[in-house]
Structures are given as C-alpha cells and as structure tokens.
Amino acid sequence: MNATIRFIFQSVLWVVLWFVLWSQQTWDYRFLQENSFSLIGQISLIALLIFYTAPKFLFTKKYFYFIAISLTAIAVFIGISSLISTKVPLPNIQGPPGLRGLKPRPPSRYFTQILLLLIAYILATVVEFVVYAKRKEEEIIRSKSENLETELKLLKSQINPHFLFNALNNIYALSAIDTTKTQESISHLSTMLRYVLYECERPFVLLSKEVEYIENYIKLFALKSSKKYPIETKFNIEDSTIKIAPMLLIPFVENSFKHSSIEQIKDTYINIYLTSKNNTITFKVENSIAEDNILKDAVGGIGLENVKKRLEILYPNKHNLSISKNDGIFKVELKLENYV
C-alpha cells in the first residue's frame, strides 16, 4: 500500500470518526467552524507525517529531527486553532455593541479537539512505522531468497564441472584398455549428462532419478577394469513419487571412490545404501581408507563442503548429517525429512 492510498484511507477514517464523535452535538455555524479546522489540522498533520517527516526522518533514524518537527507542527496547529475558534461570531446573539455575536469557547471542547489531534498523529505514526517495518521485513526476506538462489546456482556450477572432469578422466583411462567398453562408458556418460543438463535445472527431482545417476556413475567406473570391484549397493525406494534436491548424494559417492583407492581391489571396499520410508530418506556410504589417504582431510575437499552448504539452504532443520573416520573406515550417514 503506497503513501497516497494510506493518506486517503486515514483521512476518510478520521472524517467518519469526526462525524460519529460529534453526532450528538447541535450543528450550527460556530460548531462547524470550530471543529472543521480541528479536522483539517488532523488531516494536514497526517499528510505531513506520511509524505515528509516519516520517510525523511523517522525511517532514516533521525529521531531528534522527527520529534522536533512533529512537535512544532502540532504546536502551530493548536495555536492557530486556539486563535480561530476561541471567539467565533454567532448570528442573532444580542449583547453590548463590542461583544455582539461573540461567545467564549467551552474549555472542555477545546481540550477534546487537542486530544484528538494528538491521538490522530500518534496513531498515524504507529501505522506508518508498522508499514515500514513490514516492508523492510519483506525486503530482507526477498534479499535472502535472492542470495540463496544465487548461492545454489554457484554450488551447482561447482558440481557439474567437477563431475564432468572425473567422468572424462575415467573414459580417457578406459580408451587405452578396451574400445568396446569405451563406447559403453560414453553411453553411460550421455545418460548422466542428460540428467545434469535437463533434470538438475529443477529444484527437486524424483529420488529414483538421483539413484539412477549414482548407478550409472558406478557402472561407468566399473568399466575401467575387467575385474569386479568390491562395491556393494542397495537401494530401496518405497514411494516412487518421493523427491530430492538434484546432485545432492553424488558428492558422497565420489568421495568414497576418491579416498578408498578402490582400483586396488584388495583390502578395500565401498558400501552404498539408500532407503526411503515414511517420508524419510536415509543414505549411507561406508568405505575403507587407503594408507596413502590416511592423512587427508576427512571432509573430502570441495565436494562434501559443497553439499553441506546445500543441505543448510535446502533442508534447514530437516536433515541430519553424520560423518566419521575411525580405524581406517570412513562413514557418512544422511537423513532427510522429505517435505516436497
């Protein structure tokens, strides 16, 4: 609601109240002149507040100037009102020649008009401050939303090149071993890229799509060797409609492949489990840590730090992430309360 509409609304409100308050009075020339100026004073002060003192001083926290100008304006209107309405000529009043048609103003009525003037200004100030506070709150929320959206886009832009870099390295290594498997790997990569380019533009995707992406990632890696890698997976999705933020789980998988040295096959393993039940997603990754990776950061670099930030943004108070590293075993457990 802009300033003009607020001014019109408050002016109409006080005109209605003015008629209601004085509806039991005898309406004559003196009464109308006395109270009309008081009403004009109220509306004028409200206009001064809405269009000048509030935006220029109150909202900019120049409280001294706001109070000083407000009190001065109120005093001026009270003074003028006093001069105009203390003595107002009335028709058909007989008296001495110097006082004919003159009548003192009742002090109680004068006090009531001053009180209404102050109440009108104070209430208008409260309304303006509430409107300003609400507008500022909306601006802060909008700014936070824009910042979060920008941060999410940045985080996604970090994920995709990271994935592509790893996948191309795998295909390059495979091309020197088996051309047939290279073709299979390109097919898997094509499916994965389709997911990244089209599905990941949405804020949330089907959990089954995210799982399919993980499975293709593992298949792509498994083609590097004719031997079977010690990788165990188990995915159990009860609700086919359940959704998740895209590319949220793959950093954990990438981290396990990176730090387990799974290519050695001997004395290494990776276990990946996912279940969705009662609107809760549970994802677990456990892998051995190769000796040459023992001293590396347990977080696993940019991948897991990235996903932590995304979890804070997308699932505030709706997720539980546990990461541990003990006795050469790295474990990650993520629980999401799905509300999509």
Side-chain angles (χ1 to χ4, degrees), residues 11 14 45 74 111 153 179 191 197 200 225 263 295 317 322:
S11 298
W14 280 106
L45 284 173
I74 292 172
F111 175 78
K153 288 181 179 178
T179 56
T191 303
L197 293 174
C200 291
S225 174
E263 296 93 338
L295 298 179
N317 303 317
S322 173

Side-chain angles (χ1 to χ4, degrees), residues 255-262 268-270 287-290 293:
N255 184 74
S256 67
F257 276 80
K258 178 181 177 182
H259 293 279
S260 64
S261 296
I262 196 70
T268 184
Y269 69 92
I270 297 175
N287 62 271
S288 58
I289 305 175
N293 285 329

